[in-house]
Amino acid sequence: ASGIIFTADPITTNRKLLSIDAGFGLGEALVSGLVSADCYKVQNGQIADKRIAAKKLAIYGRKQGGTETKQIDPDQQMSQTLTDGQILQLARIGRQIEAHFGQPQDIEWCLADDTFYIVQSRPITTLYPIPEANDQENHVYLSVGHQQMMTDPIKPLGLSFYLLITPAPMRKAGGRLFVDVAPRLTTRAGRETLLNTVGADPLTKDALMTVIERDFIKLIPNDQTAPIPGNGQTDMPAQFENDPTIVSDLMK
């Protein structure tokens, strides 16, 4: 058998969900689109989902050289390419490779005589970059540009100038600026205020509602109606002082 490992799900970009495509025979049949592959999803060391495809053909190597395409027996066409144990073993290998390179990987593999062989590993180039954080906590980032109806990426000069004149701590990723609203989601009052603030955009509001319903950011224990965290605990901008020299100082 052979196939591909994506250590981050290429459809949802979920970095915690590993995706495996697998088919019988050589990988050429998969890469060329000759056959559909089984797809297995693994998260936290457990199989989260399996989709078994009808595999009618497979390409095999010939002892004298070259390859040949063969029909798969009808009773084998809907069988699972890899056992559950092999799926989890392959997922562990994928995570080891990802840890070695320090970023999500697109890995080609093959299975021969019950042994997995890694053919190639390269970064997944289609994932949108995540703003850098110095902890392992959950974060929720809102695009500043989309809030301002500027959906295109901002050029480096524009990014640096925007950061120069804003009091809000913002993060850069993919040519855009983001504000982390996770601190505001830790209280009921903060959640209500945030939803009212961004509610003009139904897509953003729906996304935040999904985050809240998933309990992605926990409420503060025993203080579920606490006030919104003050400056320093959140990324919301502070008020400007009414100082006429602000503009001239910035220009200098």
Side-chain angles (χ1 to χ4, degrees), residues 4-19 94-95 98 101-108 121-129:
I4 302 168
I5 309 169
F6 293 101
T7 62
D9 185 41
I11 305 300
T12 64
T13 75
N14 185 344
R15 266 73 166 177
K16 297 180 180 179
L17 189 65
L18 180 143
S19 179
R95 288 296 183 211
E98 178 185 57
F101 287 112
Q103 59 183 323
Q105 295 289 299
D106 170 357
I107 302 164
E108 296 181 5
S121 185
R122 60 188 177 186
I124 302 177
T125 56
T126 55
L127 292 180
Y128 197 86

Side-chain angles (χ1 to χ4, degrees), residues 97-117:
I97 295 172
E98 178 185 57
H100 174 78
F101 287 112
Q103 59 183 323
Q105 295 289 299
D106 170 357
I107 302 164
E108 296 181 5
W109 60 270
C110 56
L111 175 68
D113 299 326
D114 295 323
T115 301
F116 284 111
Y117 296 89

Side-chain angles (χ1 to χ4, degrees), residues 215-234:
D215 202 23
F216 185 71
I217 303 294
K218 306 291 184 184
L219 286 169
I220 296 174
N222 305 321
D223 193 10
Q224 297 188 349
T225 56
I228 301 169
N231 292 331
Q233 299 182 41
T234 179

Side-chain angles (χ1 to χ4, degrees), residues 40-252:
Y40 317 122
K41 308 281 188 181
V42 179
Q43 185 166 4
N44 298 325
Q46 296 184 334
I47 298 174
D49 185 45
K50 287 190 288 189
R51 188 181 71 243
I52 311 302
K55 301 167 288 291
K56 298 180 180 180
L57 300 172
I59 297 176
Y60 294 98
R62 301 169 62 188
K63 289 184 179 180
Q64 62 270 36
T67 62
E68 59 181 335
T69 302
K70 292 183 178 180
Q71 292 277 345
I72 296 177
D73 292 339
D75 57 349
Q76 190 186 10
Q77 290 180 6
M78 289 301 298
S79 63
Q80 195 169 301
T81 305
L82 300 178
T83 66
D84 286 2
Q86 289 172 331
I87 293 171
L88 295 177
Q89 180 187 357
L90 196 55
R92 288 192 295 269
I93 294 172
R95 288 296 183 211
Q96 288 176 329
I97 295 172
E98 178 185 57
H100 174 78
F101 287 112
Q103 59 183 323
Q105 295 289 299
D106 170 357
I107 302 164
E108 296 181 5
W109 60 270
C110 56
L111 175 68
D113 299 326
D114 295 323
T115 301
F116 284 111
Y117 296 89
I118 302 303
V119 180
Q120 173 177 285
S121 185
R122 60 188 177 186
I124 302 177
T125 56
T126 55
L127 292 180
Y128 197 86
I130 293 178
E132 291 185 7
N134 296 323
D135 57 50
Q136 297 299 313
E137 301 299 322
N138 289 342
H139 295 268
V140 178
Y141 297 106
L142 292 188
S143 166
V144 177
H146 283 72
Q147 289 297 305
Q148 302 294 333
M149 297 186 182
M150 302 186 302
T151 57
D152 290 341
I154 307 171
K155 294 180 179 180
L157 177 61
L159 288 173
S160 63
F161 187 76
Y162 204 116
L163 289 171
L164 181 68
I165 63 173
T166 178
M170 296 183 182
R171 293 160 176 82
K172 294 184 290 185
R176 294 182 172 89
L177 293 170
F178 294 88
V179 174
D180 185 7
V181 296
R184 298 184 68 82
L185 295 174
T186 59
T187 67
R188 293 189 182 279
R191 292 179 176 187
E192 182 178 357
T193 302
L194 184 62
L195 289 173
N196 289 336
T197 302
V198 303
D201 176 14
L203 293 178
T204 302
K205 186 173 183 179
D206 286 350
L208 285 172
M209 287 301 301
T210 299
V211 168
I212 292 171
E213 290 165 2
R214 284 174 51 198
D215 202 23
F216 185 71
I217 303 294
K218 306 291 184 184
L219 286 169
I220 296 174
N222 305 321
D223 193 10
Q224 297 188 349
T225 56
I228 301 169
N231 292 331
Q233 299 182 41
T234 179
D235 277 359
M236 295 303 288
Q239 291 293 319
F240 279 115
E241 295 179 13
N242 186 15
D243 183 354
T245 65
I246 287 177
V247 174
S248 57
D249 288 348
L250 281 174
M251 288 172 66
K252 290 178 184 177

